[in-house]
């Protein structure tokens, strides 16, 4: 047991590589397998032009389908010559010149999910290739595995962790095994983040269920180590469950705001998936992802993940006066407390006439605060102080919407 623990410690990538949740972009959610050099470089330009880089979004991550179907004569991965005619290092140098960082994708198995070469039996050479190219972030997927890999993914994910450590380059390591074999129990030994669920999609019931799955995982988050509920679907249009034969969907503005709010509260990576080149045509979406107060919550140095503290719900069968509300809290630095008040309503369409805006009361007792203590309350979406409260607070929230409050001890304002 001691030897195993020592080996895990040696292979662990430092928390200092990403002391707060990584922020950036990934090509998959919106573009799937249509990734190419021009898209990646134009996205980097858009991140600079729209101020996203300066807000902390610094990783531009290339997902599946970037590589050739064959390795080179020395066994190294190589870029598809049509999609990336100048190679990955050329793109990496361009992204670095913009003050950004670059991420790339591979797979634990023999093939990626898109049937391109995976890293199985090539962990060391692939890690070194990525380092030589200047890669700053690796997402390692979980497709096309051998039986022993499916049974013991921790063993193989650790091998890539050790290979990345050996390169001596700072590379954020993202385990993407969809929550199989509970990676929150072992992923922190050698990776920075681990997926907690199957792939997300821009369909509200799917996102609501993804949120549900995070509540019990809060104890596993800490600085440099993160539960990953998958990439953001804010501003993305896609198919339900990512199946091309199912309907195309997207989130309403209300849902997108709630989605972003939860990822901020959950200390989750803020990895966008939208077409950043079109942000001029999406002013509401741009405002959502540019909310400095929500980003500050996400990046709080304590990295304490939010937990659900209250549920108020009618029965399973709702005939009239339907109601489903929740309250989540996240302790922040300097004695502050972030509170998310959610009118979950139905997980189906927000215009369901059985659901309505709710006035939701949150008491100091529910927040584990001493009764009578004054807290300055700020609305993180309206960007305004609401005043000092001492016992409780009530907010009105639309279906599928949320209110995010930051409570600060009032004496800090004296």
């Amino acid at each position: 047991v001691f030897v195993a623990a020592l080996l895990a410690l040696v292979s662990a990538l430092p928390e200092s590589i990403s002391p707060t949740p990584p922020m950036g972009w990934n090509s998959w959610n919106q573009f799937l397998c249509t990734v190419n050099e021009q898209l990646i470089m134009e996205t980097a330009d858009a991140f600079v032009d729209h101020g996203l880089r300066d807000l902390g979004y610094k990783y531009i991550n290339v997902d599946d389908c970037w590589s050739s179907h064959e390795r080179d004569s020395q066994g190294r991965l190589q870029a598809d010559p049509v999609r990336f005619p100048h190679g990955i290092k050329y793109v990496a140098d361009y992204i670095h010149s913009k003050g950004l960082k670059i991420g790339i994708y591979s797979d634990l198995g023999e093939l990626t999910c898109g049937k391109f070469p995976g890293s199985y039996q090539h962990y060391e050479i692939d890690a070194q290739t990525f380092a030589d190219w200047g890669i700053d972030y690796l997402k390692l997927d979980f497709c096309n595995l051998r039986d022993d890999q499916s049974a013991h993914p921790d063993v193989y994910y650790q091998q890539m962790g050790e290979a990345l450590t050996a390169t001596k380059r700072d590379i954020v390591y993202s385990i993407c095994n969809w929550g199989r074999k509970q990676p929150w129990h072992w992923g922190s030994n050698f990776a920075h983040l681990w997926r907690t669920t199957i792939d997300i999609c821009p369909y509200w019931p799917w996102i609501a269920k993804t949120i549900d799955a995070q509540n019990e995982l809060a104890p596993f988050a800490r600085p440099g180590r993160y539960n990953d509920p998958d990439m953001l679907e804010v501003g993305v249009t896609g198919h339900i469950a990512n199946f091309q034969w199912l309907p195309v969907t997207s989130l309403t503005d209300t849902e997108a705001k709630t989605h972003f709010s939860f990822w901020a509260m959950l200390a989750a990576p803020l990895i966008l998936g939208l077409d950043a080149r079109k942000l001029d045509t999406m002013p509401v979406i741009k405002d959502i992802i540019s909310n400095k107060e929500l980003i500050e919550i996400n990046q709080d140095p304590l990295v304490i993940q939010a937990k659900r503290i209250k549920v108020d719900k009618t029965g399973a069968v709702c005939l009239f006066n339907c109601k489903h509300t929740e309250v989540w809290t996240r302790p922040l630095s300097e004695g502050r407390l972030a509170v998310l008040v959610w009118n979950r309503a139905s997980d189906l369409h927000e215009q369901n006439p059985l659901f309505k805006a709710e006035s939701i009361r949150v008491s100091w007792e529910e927040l584990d605060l001493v009764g009578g203590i004054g807290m300055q309350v700020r609305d993180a979406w309206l960007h305004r102080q609401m005043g000092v409260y001492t016992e409780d607070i009530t907010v009105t929230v639309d279906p599928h919407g949320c209110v995010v409050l930051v409570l600060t001890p009032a004496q800090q304002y004296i």
Side-chain angles (χ1 to χ4, degrees), residues 60 95 186-187 270 305 317 348 359 391 402:
I60 304 297
I95 288 173
W186 44 265
L270 296 184
Q305 181 175 315
V317 178
L348 298 177
S359 292
E391 296 289 345
C402 75

Side-chain angles (χ1 to χ4, degrees), residues 10 23 61 64 120 123 133 155 182 200 204 214 219 245 263 279 298 325 375:
V10 170
M23 298 172 58
N61 296 343
D64 204 355
Y120 176 67
Y123 300 129
W133 287 343
V155 173
Q182 300 181 324
I200 203 170
W204 183 248
Q214 309 312 308
W245 46 272
W263 266 233
L279 276 173
N298 176 262
T325 65
M375 299 294 283

Side-chain angles (χ1 to χ4, degrees), residues 258-268 270 294 297-298 304-307 327-332 337-341 403-406:
T258 300
H259 176 24
F260 190 81
S261 298
F262 262 105
W263 266 233
M265 291 285 289
L266 293 169
L270 296 184
L294 269 293
I297 291 172
N298 176 262
I304 299 175
Q305 181 175 315
K307 295 189 69 174
V327 179
W328 293 62
T329 61
R330 175 180 176 179
L332 301 175
L337 181 69
V339 180
L340 186 152
V341 185
V403 170
V404 179
L405 307 173
V406 177

Side-chain angles (χ1 to χ4, degrees), residues 71 77 105-113 115-123 126 139-150 153 156-157 160 173 176-178:
R71 292 176 176 268
L77 292 170
Y105 167 101
S106 190
D107 195 283
L108 192 70
E110 296 176 332
L111 297 173
T112 71
C113 299
K115 307 299 184 183
F116 293 86
S119 288
Y120 176 67
Q121 293 186 330
H122 294 83
Y123 300 129
D126 287 357
K139 172 184 171 183
L140 197 64
D141 218 332
F142 199 58
C143 286
N144 301 301
L145 307 177
R146 295 167 57 92
D147 289 345
D148 54 329
Q149 292 182 296
S150 296
Y156 293 90
Y157 274 111
M160 178 58 90
Y173 183 25
C176 180
N177 77 322
W178 323 321

Side-chain angles (χ1 to χ4, degrees), residues 23 45 68 95 102 150 153 158 185 318 395 406:
M23 298 172 58
D45 293 340
S68 170
I95 288 173
I102 183 172
S150 296
Q158 181 169 339
H185 285 298
C318 181
V395 293
V406 177

